[in-house]
Amino acid sequence: MFEGLAGSEKFFLFCAVLGGGVFILRSVMMFIGLGGDDMSDAAVDISDADGAPSADFKMVSLHGITAFLMVFGLVGFLVLRNNSGPTAMTLAATASLVTGLVTMIIIAKLFSASRKLQSDGTIHSKDAIGAEGSVYLEIRPGEIGKVQVSVHGALKVYDARANDREGKLKTGDPIRVVEAADVLIVEKI
């Protein structure tokens, strides 16, 4: 595979094969659920506008390093193959370093964006507006009781007050959530 190549071409090709192989292997493992979170691999981060380190944009990660090696090797190899002369190595080194760093930044941004797509699964009381349920603990006029409501497929118990401040809701009465504040405001259905 490496016969007939100059030493510097072999170096760049080796970087491309090594980086590309590990990058592809790691990507396949991640997609089938065997790869870990790349955050643990982070060593260097980029600061935000205030100069504070940004926790979600990690520059150096296993994916970033392997992508750098892959692109560094490919660009360096191709530049050397297409250029000759005393400046060919300088041109290859410069082009491969620049494209490798750009690739590393792109990979870091992609992983940062993918982390922002994750949901934390928290159910907020405002998500209960419009949901139906039942009175869990009696709601007396002007007082707070408890209701159980199904929100996003989970049965939750909330403090609640009747929409009609003069009405009484008994345990088991069907209700609908009409407003969410400190407590849910419910009406009998």
Side-chain angles (χ1 to χ4, degrees):
M1 178 170 144
F2 293 114
E3 293 90 29
L5 297 177
S8 53
E9 287 177 331
K10 287 179 185 178
F11 170 74
F12 283 118
L13 191 57
F14 176 76
C15 288
V17 170
L18 177 67
V22 174
F23 183 83
I24 290 169
L25 178 67
R26 177 101 166 131
S27 296
V28 168
M29 287 176 58
M30 259 182 55
F31 285 117
I32 61 174
L34 297 175
D37 185 13
D38 226 22
M39 287 297 285
S40 61
D41 299 327
V44 177
D45 63 13
I46 298 295
S47 299
D48 62 14
D50 299 328
S54 173
D56 62 347
F57 183 73
K58 298 298 180 183
M59 185 71 175
V60 178
S61 65
L62 184 58
H63 254 99
I65 292 169
T66 56
F68 172 86
L69 280 174
M70 179 177 60
V71 172
F72 171 84
L74 285 174
V75 170
F77 178 75
L78 291 174
V79 169
L80 283 178
R81 291 296 267 181
N82 293 319
N83 293 296
S84 60
T87 61
M89 187 59 191
T90 304
L91 180 63
T94 304
S96 59
L97 281 173
V98 169
T99 56
L101 288 173
V102 168
T103 302
M104 213 169 168
I105 291 169
I106 291 170
I107 293 294
K109 289 249 185 212
L110 286 173
F111 275 90
S112 175
S114 71
R115 278 188 201 91
K116 291 177 183 174
L117 294 175
Q118 295 177 353
S119 171
D120 68 357
T122 303
I123 297 175
H124 302 282
S125 61
K126 68 178 182 318
D127 296 335
I129 296 174
E132 296 180 356
S134 61
V135 176
Y136 182 70
L137 289 176
E138 182 177 76
I139 303 173
R140 295 188 176 137
E143 294 184 15
I144 296 175
K146 292 198 179 279
V147 295
Q148 55 185 12
V149 182
S150 179
V151 182
H152 300 301
L155 189 62
K156 303 297 256 175
V157 176
Y158 292 100
D159 289 334
R161 178 177 285 133
N163 192 19
D164 175 14
R165 292 203 179 259
E166 302 301 319
K168 177 180 178 180
L169 298 174
K170 295 181 235 158
T171 300
D173 283 350
I175 54 94
R176 178 180 303 113
V177 179
V178 293
E179 198 177 319
D182 295 337
V183 296
L184 298 183
I185 308 299
V186 297
E187 66 183 7
K188 187 173 181 178
I189 52 175

